[in-house]
């Protein structure tokens, strides 16, 4: 059975460093997804994140979800005995945490703000360590990706999407989250310990990303694919809705500044045979904010036309 790589991140700092670097390289090149264990985020903090996440959904989100567009559309769809699936909707409750919207964070869940602020600090540090490993594996200078994303200290974007996928009475008729690739840089997911549902597309087949308690799932977004000139891939993934269990999903995104200019790293451009002065870039150069404008219109559509569209801007 094919399963995505599970990598012990602590071995990066010991005698097995070379093997661990190779495992991460393979995860980025062949999978676009891998799971990290022993990643350095304290288990005690992760347990608190689980607690406040579950309490927040019960106290502040569940009632809103039960009146949501997804619930209403599914009910109408079932009542009308239609075949197929409800389109253009996901069976997901979601909200975004950023440093700029602190006053919009859930306020009725005890310890939510304090816990999630601490978690975001820890997972951001992990993201930067992962990016440094990517730098090393790609043969780039240390801090290259971080610098590219920060755009002369304009500030990379670091957001955390808190999602729950509640039990669905008709999981065959609605997606948990439609298939897509992620627009940004490096994504770090703290997923549910028990309820599965996340799948990635590899070699034409959908493969489960199995829950591993307290692991962090890493995936590479579209901007890492561009920066690596296609050596690392941004992979299609989706979430299935489930009849049982309320799946927690806390995804943090280390993305470029909207003003950052993204392009393949010069060191990774192919040199045409016998034409050493001619460098070939597989991807265009663009401003990330322009890419996001295209992505927001085409998130669930094929990836390659997005690059073509942003190249024309």
């Amino acid at each position: 059975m094919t399963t995505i790589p599970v990598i012990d991140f602590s071995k990066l700092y010991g005698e097995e460093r070379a093997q661990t670097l190779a495992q991460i390289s393979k995860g980025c090149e062949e999978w676009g997804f891998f799971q990290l264990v022993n990643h350095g985020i304290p288990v005690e903090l992760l347990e608190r994140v689980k607690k406040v996440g579950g309490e927040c959904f019960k106290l502040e989100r569940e009632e809103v979800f039960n009146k949501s567009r997804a619930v209403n559309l599914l009910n109408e769809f079932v009542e009308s005995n239609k075949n197929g699936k409800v389109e253009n909707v996901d069976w997901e409750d979601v909200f975004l945490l950023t440093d700029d919207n602190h006053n919009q964070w859930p306020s009725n869940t005890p310890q939510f703000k304090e816990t999630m602020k601490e978690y975001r600090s820890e997972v951001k540090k992990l993201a930067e360590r992962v990016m440094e490993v990517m730098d090393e594996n790609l043969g780039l200078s240390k801090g290259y990706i971080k610098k590219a994303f920060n755009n002369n200290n304009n500030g990379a974007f670091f957001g955390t999407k808190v999602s729950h996928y509640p039990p669905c009475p008709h999981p065959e008729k609605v997606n948990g989250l439609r298939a897509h690739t992620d627009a940004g840089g490096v994504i770090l997911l703290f997923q549910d310990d028990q309820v599965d549902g996340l799948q990635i597309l590899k070699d034409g087949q959908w493969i489960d990303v199995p829950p591993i308690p307290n692991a962090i799932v890493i995936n590479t977004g579209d901007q890492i694919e561009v920066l690596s000139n296609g050596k690392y891939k941004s992979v299609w993934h989706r979430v299935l809705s489930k009849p049982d269990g309320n799946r927690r999903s806390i995804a943090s995104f280390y993305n470029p500044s909207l003003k950052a200019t993204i392009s393949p790293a010069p060191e990774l451009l192919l040199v045409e045979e016998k034409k050493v002065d001619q460098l070939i870039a597989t991807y265009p150069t663009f401003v990330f904010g322009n890419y996001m404008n295209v992505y927001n219109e085409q998130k669930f559509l094929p990836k390659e036309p997005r690059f073509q569209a942003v190249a024309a801007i």
Side-chain angles (χ1 to χ4, degrees), residues 8-29:
D8 186 339
F9 202 57
S10 67
K11 292 185 177 179
L12 194 65
Y13 307 101
E15 294 178 356
E16 297 181 47
R17 177 175 175 79
Q19 297 98 306
T20 308
L21 285 169
Q23 288 175 338
I24 294 172
S25 180
K26 182 178 180 180
C28 293
E29 290 183 32

Side-chain angles (χ1 to χ4, degrees), residues 65-168:
F65 178 77
N66 288 338
K67 299 175 182 177
S68 68
R69 177 171 173 263
V71 172
N72 291 334
L73 286 176
L74 179 60
N75 287 339
E76 292 170 6
F77 195 85
V78 171
E79 287 169 7
S80 60
N81 291 315
K82 291 181 180 177
N83 294 321
K85 283 192 171 185
V86 183
E87 295 183 357
N88 301 319
V89 72
D90 302 303
W91 192 261
E92 176 190 38
D93 176 73
V94 57
F95 59 94
L96 181 68
L97 306 178
T98 73
D99 291 336
D100 295 330
N101 72 345
H102 266 169
N103 58 345
Q104 299 170 31
W105 287 30
S107 55
N108 295 329
T109 305
Q111 298 299 308
F112 182 90
K113 281 188 180 181
E114 298 87 340
T115 301
M116 292 308 297
K117 188 174 181 181
E118 184 180 350
Y119 172 76
R120 277 172 43 79
S121 174
E122 289 291 328
V123 81
K124 186 176 183 181
K125 287 186 281 189
L126 177 60
E128 292 176 345
R129 291 198 295 271
V130 169
M131 289 191 296
E132 287 182 358
V133 172
M134 291 179 180
D135 291 333
E136 185 172 348
N137 277 334
L138 290 168
L140 303 173
S141 58
K142 184 176 180 179
Y144 183 97
I145 296 174
K146 181 179 177 180
K147 184 178 179 181
F149 284 4
N150 275 275
N151 186 47
N152 299 320
N153 296 320
N154 270 325
F157 174 82
F158 188 72
T160 299
K161 191 181 84 162
V162 180
S163 300
H164 282 86
Y165 301 91
C168 181

